[in-house]
């Protein structure tokens, strides 16, 4: 199978229908916050080394750990009817998946204040960038829209350490726009989420007198 085989270190609940997948770091894997990997596996197959490539399912996941040591983390939204995520959520330590990457030009170099705007599964990279910013001594703002927030413990820790966290209900686009406008000048703006969400973010930036072309926006499709 294509990609580098990596072992699962742990799978933890990160919120409603969301898990944090902790994977052992392969050799020479040195991503920056904001980058993503391609994860490939054959669900239901214990020995991925002997799995048929034609049966493999591949998905992109952005890293949700602020740094990479012996392990790195991916945040996985679990669709009960999905063809990969339910299987990932049930993996035991020692199981194997394959990864390729890192990929992506939306990165954070730990060199400035940031504003990370997240919708749904975009909270993973948003939290990781905010944590990296705080670790480097910079200010961080997280604006997160979701009816059932994930990574609440990490968001609360960020607040305790001086970051600003704004939680927005899933259907409250007006509050989302207000929060973006309030923090538009507070740092380099990042946005992570699905198409409709990042479209609202970009439009809000432009309507508020900013330039959405200067924002670093990751569209999950």
């Amino acid at each position: 199978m294509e990609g580098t085989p990596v072992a699962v270190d742990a799978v933890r609940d990160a919120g409603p229908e969301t898990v944090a997948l902790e994977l052992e770091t392969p050799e020479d894997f040195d991503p920056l916050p904001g980058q993503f990997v391609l994860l490939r596996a054959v669900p239901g197959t214990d020995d991925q080394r002997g799995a048929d490539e034609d049966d493999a399912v591949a998905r992109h996941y952005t890293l949700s750990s602020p740094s990479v040591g012996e392990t790195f983390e991916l945040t996985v939204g679990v669709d009960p009817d999905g063809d990969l995520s339910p299987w990932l959520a049930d993996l035991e330590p020692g199981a194997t998946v394959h990864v390729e990457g890192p990929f992506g030009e939306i990165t954070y170099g730990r060199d400035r204040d940031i504003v990370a705007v997240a919708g749904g599964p975009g909270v993973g990279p948003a939290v990781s960038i905010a944590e990296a910013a705080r670790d480097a001594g910079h200010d961080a703002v997280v604006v997160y829209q979701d009816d059932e927030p994930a990574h609440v413990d990490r968001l609360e820790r960020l607040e305790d350490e001086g970051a600003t966290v704004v939680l927005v209900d899933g259907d409250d686009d007006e509050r989302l726009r207000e929060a973006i406008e309030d923090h538009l000048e507070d740092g380099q703006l990042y946005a992570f989420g699905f198409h409709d969400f990042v479209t609202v973010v970009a439009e809000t930036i432009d309507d508020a007198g900013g330039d959405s072309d200067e924002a670093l926006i990751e569209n999950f499709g």
Side-chain angles (χ1 to χ4, degrees):
M1 186 183 300
E2 294 182 22
T4 301
V6 297
V8 174
D9 183 74
V11 181
R12 301 184 303 275
D13 287 337
E17 296 187 350
T18 307
V19 296
L21 184 66
E22 196 84 17
L23 301 176
E24 293 184 3
T25 303
E27 187 176 354
D28 298 325
F29 182 73
D30 190 24
L32 290 170
Q35 290 192 295
F36 60 90
V37 298
L38 179 67
L39 185 149
R40 190 188 309 271
V42 179
T45 302
D46 292 333
D47 185 0
Q48 295 290 312
R49 293 169 299 179
D52 189 337
E53 179 72 29
D54 292 339
D55 295 328
V57 180
R59 294 287 184 274
H60 290 106
Y61 293 105
T62 305
L63 272 71
S64 53
S65 45
S67 60
V68 173
E70 294 182 357
T71 64
F72 68 98
E73 182 190 276
L74 307 176
T75 297
V76 178
V78 182
D79 177 357
D81 298 321
D83 51 6
L84 180 61
S85 59
W87 180 78
L88 292 175
D90 288 337
L91 287 178
E92 297 290 338
T96 301
V97 296
H98 287 66
V99 297
E100 298 175 39
F103 305 109
E105 297 180 358
I106 294 179
T107 62
Y108 176 58
R110 305 172 189 270
D111 56 350
R112 65 190 66 188
D113 299 341
I114 65 96
V115 178
V117 186
V123 67
V127 167
S128 74
I129 287 174
E131 290 173 341
R134 294 300 302 155
D135 289 345
H138 298 290
D139 290 336
V141 177
V142 178
V143 178
Y144 174 28
Q145 184 179 40
D146 200 310
D147 283 329
E148 298 180 306
H151 288 306
V152 171
D153 55 338
R154 293 171 67 179
L155 292 167
E156 291 176 345
R157 192 177 308 121
L158 278 166
E159 278 195 303
D160 290 343
E161 294 173 353
T164 299
V165 176
V166 182
L167 298 180
V168 180
D169 290 341
D171 60 353
D172 195 349
D173 284 353
E174 182 175 349
R175 177 68 185 113
L176 174 64
R177 292 187 178 95
E178 290 175 353
I180 294 170
E181 291 172 0
D182 288 345
H183 297 285
L184 191 60
E185 304 298 328
D186 290 350
Q188 172 64 57
L189 194 143
Y190 293 79
F192 301 93
F194 291 114
H195 174 76
D196 289 348
F197 174 81
V198 297
T199 297
V200 171
V201 174
E203 290 175 347
T204 301
I205 293 170
D206 292 333
D207 290 345
D211 184 352
S212 60
D213 290 336
E214 295 182 357
L216 300 175
I217 298 176
E218 185 75 60
N219 185 342
F220 290 172

